[in-house]
């Protein structure tokens, strides 16, 4: 079977938390060996039978939390071709804060400290995945009547309320998140002790995933290796400096204004 619901992101909007919550629900069937299969954006050539095999063979609501899909037209086209009846869920977040968090995603992966605009030039998804109106509109056009929205801000301030909204979107009975999830810090920034080792670790994990070795990556993530490669000092001072540069990301402001108008017209939750 194909997914009934897919959370398309974008990244840095609480999807890891959502995946962790859904894995506490026995009636939800998620990929067994990994959070994301990357099927629709990176390994679509493997075919639908490969994708089906990533899910355990049992009854339930089939779901994938796949935040890398949000800003990729080819992923949207692949999902539409394969599973046109799938319900799509988009997580909304302040787009500038999301871009700053994405900046630190690359810093944590071993990239050097750079001006925000330079990091965005090197990694275009820093800005592209914050263009909520542009991409949400494309999802709406591809999946009319099948797109829902949830708020990252609500996850930060009211995880129980976010869970209630999540369950309503999915047609699940409400079950509160475990205490361990309610207390989990969302998107804490850090930089690695060794940037070169972190870059090598990120590229190795990407290669293993593309080779279909998701389980190897998952096993390694449970060891001390992940902490040794990616853990490091907190960066609150750097975060403040980067946040002060968000005005250099000129494409975000007009898109954000359009998104607020769209949400107001729809009566949807604001980021």
């Amino acid at each position: 079977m194909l997914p009934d619901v897919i959370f398309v992101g974008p990244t840095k909007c609480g999807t890891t938390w959502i995946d962790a919550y859904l894995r506490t629900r026995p009636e939800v069937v998620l990929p067994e060996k990994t959070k994301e299969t990357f099927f629709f954006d990176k390994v679509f050539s493997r075919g639908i039978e490969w994708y089906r095999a990533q899910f355990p063979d049992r009854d339930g609501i089939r779901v994938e939390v796949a935040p890398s899909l949000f800003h990729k037209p080819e992923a949207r086209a692949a999902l539409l071709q394969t599973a046109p009846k799938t319900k799509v869920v988009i997580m909304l977040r302040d787009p500038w804060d999301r871009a700053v968090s994405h900046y630190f995603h690359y810093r944590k992966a071993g990239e050097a400290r750079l001006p925000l605009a330079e990091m965005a030039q090197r990694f275009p998804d820093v800005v592209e995945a914050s263009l909520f109106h542009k991409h949400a509109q494309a999802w709406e056009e591809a999946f009319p009547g099948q797109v829902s929205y949830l708020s990252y801000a609500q996850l930060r301030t009211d995880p129980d309320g976010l869970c209630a909204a999540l369950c309503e979107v999915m047609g699940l009975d409400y079950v509160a998140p475990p205490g361990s999830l309610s207390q989990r810090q969302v998107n804490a920034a850090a930089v690695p002790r060794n940037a070169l080792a972190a870059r090598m670790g990120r590229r190795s994990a990407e290669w293993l995933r593309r080779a279909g070795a998701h389980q190897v990556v998952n096993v390694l993530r449970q060891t001390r290796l992940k902490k040794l490669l990616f853990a490091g000092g907190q960066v609150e001072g750097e975060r403040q400096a980067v946040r002060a540069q968000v005005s250099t990301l000129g494409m975000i402001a007009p898109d954000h204004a359009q998104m607020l108008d769209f949400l107001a017209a729809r009566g949807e939750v604001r980021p």
Side-chain angles (χ1 to χ4, degrees):
M1 293 178 65
L2 296 171
D4 302 295
V5 182
I6 190 158
F7 290 78
V8 297
T11 54
K12 317 312 294 181
C13 290
T15 52
T16 297
W17 192 96
I18 288 172
D19 181 82
Y21 169 72
L22 292 176
R23 290 183 188 276
T24 70
R25 302 295 302 263
E27 66 271 55
V28 176
V29 182
L30 294 126
E32 193 167 26
K33 298 177 181 178
T34 185
K35 174 193 167 188
E36 296 178 70
T37 66
F38 298 101
F39 175 65
F40 296 103
D41 59 336
K42 295 182 180 179
V43 292
F44 192 61
S45 61
R46 290 184 182 166
I48 194 62
E49 293 308 318
W50 178 89
Y51 183 66
R52 285 194 177 102
Q54 306 312 301
F55 293 81
D57 185 16
R58 60 181 177 84
D59 292 336
I61 301 174
R62 269 175 160 63
V63 181
E64 184 173 5
V65 181
S68 67
L69 305 186
F70 176 69
H71 61 288
K72 297 176 180 176
E74 69 277 13
R76 187 166 51 249
L79 180 63
L80 184 61
Q81 172 187 330
T82 306
K85 301 299 184 183
T86 297
K87 178 176 285 190
V88 173
V89 183
I90 294 171
M91 294 295 297
L92 299 173
R93 182 179 183 180
D94 175 278
W96 293 279
D97 284 345
R98 198 220 65 83
V100 171
S101 187
H102 208 148
Y103 170 98
F104 282 101
H105 168 82
Y106 287 114
R107 288 283 284 124
K108 187 174 183 179
E111 295 299 324
R113 182 172 182 171
L114 297 170
L116 177 58
E118 189 174 337
M119 187 72 85
Q121 186 174 20
R122 183 174 295 185
F123 299 101
D125 52 347
V126 169
V127 168
E128 194 64 32
S130 279
L131 301 181
F132 284 93
H133 182 260
K134 172 184 176 180
H135 298 295
Q137 187 177 44
W139 283 103
E140 292 272 0
E141 290 172 357
F143 295 87
Q146 297 164 230
V147 182
S148 299
Y149 300 88
L150 295 173
S151 169
Y152 174 85
Q154 187 176 29
L155 173 58
R156 292 294 300 266
T157 60
D158 179 18
D160 286 359
L162 185 280
C163 263
L166 170 65
C167 291
E168 183 176 356
V169 163
M170 296 183 61
L172 297 172
D173 292 334
Y174 172 67
V175 175
S180 58
L181 275 179
S182 293
Q183 301 303 317
R184 181 182 291 186
Q185 188 175 8
V186 180
N187 281 351
V191 293
R193 296 183 179 92
N194 186 306
L196 177 60
R199 286 197 299 273
M200 292 176 63
R202 176 168 64 97
R203 290 167 184 168
S204 297
E206 176 71 12
W207 183 87
L208 286 167
R209 290 190 185 101
R210 286 182 180 274
H214 297 87
Q215 193 164 13
V216 174
V217 176
N218 288 343
V219 169
L220 292 174
R221 289 179 66 182
Q222 303 306 313
T223 69
R224 287 177 53 83
L225 181 62
K226 180 181 177 181
K227 185 174 183 180
L228 288 171
L229 287 178
F230 299 111
Q234 297 301 304
V235 290
E236 195 53 42
E238 184 179 347
R239 178 185 284 279
Q240 292 175 12
V242 172
R243 187 63 176 83
Q245 300 170 36
V246 296
S247 62
T248 63
L249 306 179
M251 296 174 62
I252 290 179
D255 182 273
H256 185 55
Q258 289 180 299
M259 191 64 192
L260 291 180
D261 289 344
F262 169 79
L263 292 172
R266 286 276 301 266
E268 293 280 1
V269 62
R270 291 167 61 96

